[in-house]
């Protein structure tokens, strides 16, 4: 499903070079549940952006569903992103002057759902994250953790076959986090693939495989018995 | 030092009313170390914004240093904010097209430091959070946790007498979090006041008093023996 081979991502800034990813190779098969951990700045978000076709590596190859990402057109990439991938961004990336409901409906517009279907599916997704009563509120009328939950609802609304979640519980208290992890578990049980970045041990423990990054390299990649 | 008496903060949105703070009374003396906890949406950031003079309550009184915040002019409030308070925002609030160093220097401009002093103090604050080599990089060239650390450096650069930190370790791995908590401990040991919002138990345990919010009310306010 996902195969990274010798991936590097290098930023050149003046006379300083930052190797965000410094030679990473990894395979993830369909239906796996992987947690990516590592210190701040170790390359987790960069790796998620490469996997989610939002960023291109400096060197190395990335194959998604057997096709080289580098050989795909922008249209191909956009189509895979819209049809297969649900992304929870570390910075949420909600549209500002747009209600929670409209933010969550966005992936459904690409999926060609009717307005009635979109409204029902988006409302259900918001109810699943405990925000059914806030559907017509804008992001700036919501708390930090509420905005994060809208971003999660948007990523899950279309039952993606690959969920990429970058620190999805960073702004949530433990009880709300448990509710979110239960939603991810439902998606996983349906045979979908979950790739989760987290710095919280007890969130990582839900995964069946733990990958640790340090300074842009994989220093650990082992199966995990989930809690 | 800080006295909240029957504080409410109510948002009226159409026919729906959200009581972000629903009658809160609390006193914090100089030199205390308080952790504020509670579920997502329970009113933690709203309380911090009232304490930090960034938001006015709907009803109730807020006294800071014996003066009614409601009776202060905008200039008085700005002066207290610049001279006494260091704020780590939940959303970091860094200036986008500005380097890390310039972001951290900002409070020192208000404090009337010379350019040479500002440069030295800001660089030292960045080194304290492990980002000395990234001083001329912009926020969009940094990872999520690196941006959070720039926001922490900016809040600490002028040794504030009151530190208001809203989820300061939300984007940080545990090792980096320990380093940040050590910086807060240094500030506390110098006799300053620390008020910290967190949803992480092991961060809250550094405080000497734990306050828990639920639905805009204080449901717990007890001393804590710090780790
Ligand atoms: N500008 C606003 N307009 C309307 N409602 C608001 C506004 N700001 C906050 N609220 C609401 O007030 C309540 C408290 O918000 P607050 O940001 O204080 O919560 P919080 O405890 O910090 O949550 P989190 O842990 O998710 O950051 C929430 O239900 C939120 O939606
Ligand atoms: N646009 C950019 N320009 C320059 N450097 C960048 C850029 N984006 C990321 N980096 C650098 O690449 C490294 C890896 O960044 P990345 O965002 O992947 O880290 P991370 O593991 O997600 O960190 P965090 O846990 O703090 O979110 C960091 O040192 C970061 O500063
Ligand atoms: Mg990141
Ligand atoms: Mg908050």
């Amino acid at each position: 499903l996902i195969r990274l081979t010798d991936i590097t991502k290098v930023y050149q800034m003046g006379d300083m070079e930052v190797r965000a990813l410094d030679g990473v190779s990894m395979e993830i098969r369909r239906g796996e549940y992987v947690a990516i951990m590592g210190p701040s700045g170790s390359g987790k978000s960069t790796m998620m952006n490469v996997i989610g076709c939002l960023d291109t590596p400096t060197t190395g190859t990335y194959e998604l569903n057997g096709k080289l990402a580098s050989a795909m057109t922008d249209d191909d990439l956009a189509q895979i992103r819209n049809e297969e991938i649900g992304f929870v961004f570390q910075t949420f990336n909600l549209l500002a002057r747009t209600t929670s409901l409209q933010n969550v409906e966005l992936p459904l517009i690409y999926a060609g759902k009717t307005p009635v279907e979109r409204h029902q599916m988006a409302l259900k997704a918001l109810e699943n994250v405990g925000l059914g009563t806030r559907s017509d509120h804008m992001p700036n009328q919501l708390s930090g953790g509420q905005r994060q939950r809208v971003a999660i609802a948007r990523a899950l609304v279309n039952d993606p076959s690959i969920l990429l979640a970058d620190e999805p519980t960073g702004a949530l208290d433990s009880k709300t986090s448990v509710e979110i992890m239960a939603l991810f578990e439902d998606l996983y049980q349906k045979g979908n693939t979950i790739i989760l970045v987290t710095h919280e041990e007890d969130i990582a423990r839900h995964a069946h495989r733990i990958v640790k990054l340090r300074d842009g390299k994989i220093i650990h990649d082992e199966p995990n018995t989930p809690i």
Side-chain angles (χ1 to χ4, degrees), chain A:
Chain A
L1 175 67
I2 286 170
R3 184 182 294 159
L4 302 178
T5 310
D6 292 333
I7 296 281
T8 70
K9 181 73 186 178
V10 183
Y11 294 100
Q12 200 63 44
M13 289 170 296
D15 54 353
M16 184 176 168
E17 184 190 75
V18 174
R19 301 184 73 82
L21 292 176
D22 193 11
V24 164
S25 296
M26 188 165 83
E27 265 187 48
I28 299 176
R29 279 160 296 287
R30 191 170 283 289
E32 281 201 63
Y33 194 152
V34 184
I36 298 175
M37 304 188 77
S40 172
S42 56
K44 305 180 296 294
S45 296
T46 304
M47 178 183 267
M48 292 292 258
N49 293 339
V50 169
I51 292 173
C53 303
L54 290 166
D55 202 0
T56 51
T58 307
T59 65
T61 58
Y62 171 38
E63 290 160 80
L64 177 59
N65 292 341
K67 275 188 228 141
L68 272 182
S70 52
M72 290 188 209
T73 64
D74 278 358
D75 278 0
D76 291 343
L77 289 172
Q79 195 178 351
I80 282 196
R81 274 203 305 266
N82 294 331
E83 290 180 3
E84 288 234 20
I85 298 175
F87 213 119
V88 184
F89 296 92
Q90 187 169 5
T91 49
F92 315 163
N93 288 10
L94 297 176
L95 297 182
R97 303 197 180 299
T98 310
T99 67
S100 303
L101 193 77
Q102 289 164 339
N103 266 288
V104 176
E105 281 184 359
L106 218 56
L108 302 174
I109 298 174
Y110 295 114
K113 300 289 180 196
T114 69
V116 173
E117 284 172 328
R118 284 202 315 253
H119 191 281
Q120 277 175 343
M121 291 172 75
L123 193 56
K124 181 95 197 84
L126 277 174
E127 284 165 359
N128 283 347
V129 296
L131 291 173
T133 60
R134 308 298 297 268
S135 59
D136 55 351
H137 294 165
M138 310 271 178
N140 68 347
Q141 295 175 316
L142 298 176
S143 76
Q146 289 169 335
R147 287 195 293 271
Q148 185 160 44
R149 284 185 275 158
V150 173
I152 291 167
R154 181 183 62 190
L156 293 177
V157 72
N158 209 10
D159 260 353
S161 54
I162 304 171
L163 176 68
L164 299 177
D166 195 343
E167 303 280 2
T169 61
L172 303 177
D173 59 288
S174 31
K175 183 166 167 293
T176 311
S177 293
V178 167
E179 292 163 14
I180 296 306
M181 294 315 288
L183 294 177
F184 291 1
E185 185 63 28
D186 284 352
L187 184 69
Y188 168 70
Q189 291 296 339
K190 287 178 193 161
N192 297 299
T193 308
I194 309 227
I195 305 172
L196 178 75
V197 166
T198 182
H199 62 270
E200 299 178 66
E201 285 286 341
D202 44 358
I203 297 298
R205 246 175 261 146
H206 289 74
H208 295 243
R209 177 179 169 191
I210 295 184
V211 174
K212 290 188 182 175
L213 292 183
R214 179 181 293 278
D215 297 331
K217 289 190 176 71
I218 293 178
I219 58 164
H220 172 98
D221 184 355
E222 298 292 334
N224 174 61
T225 319
I227 45 169

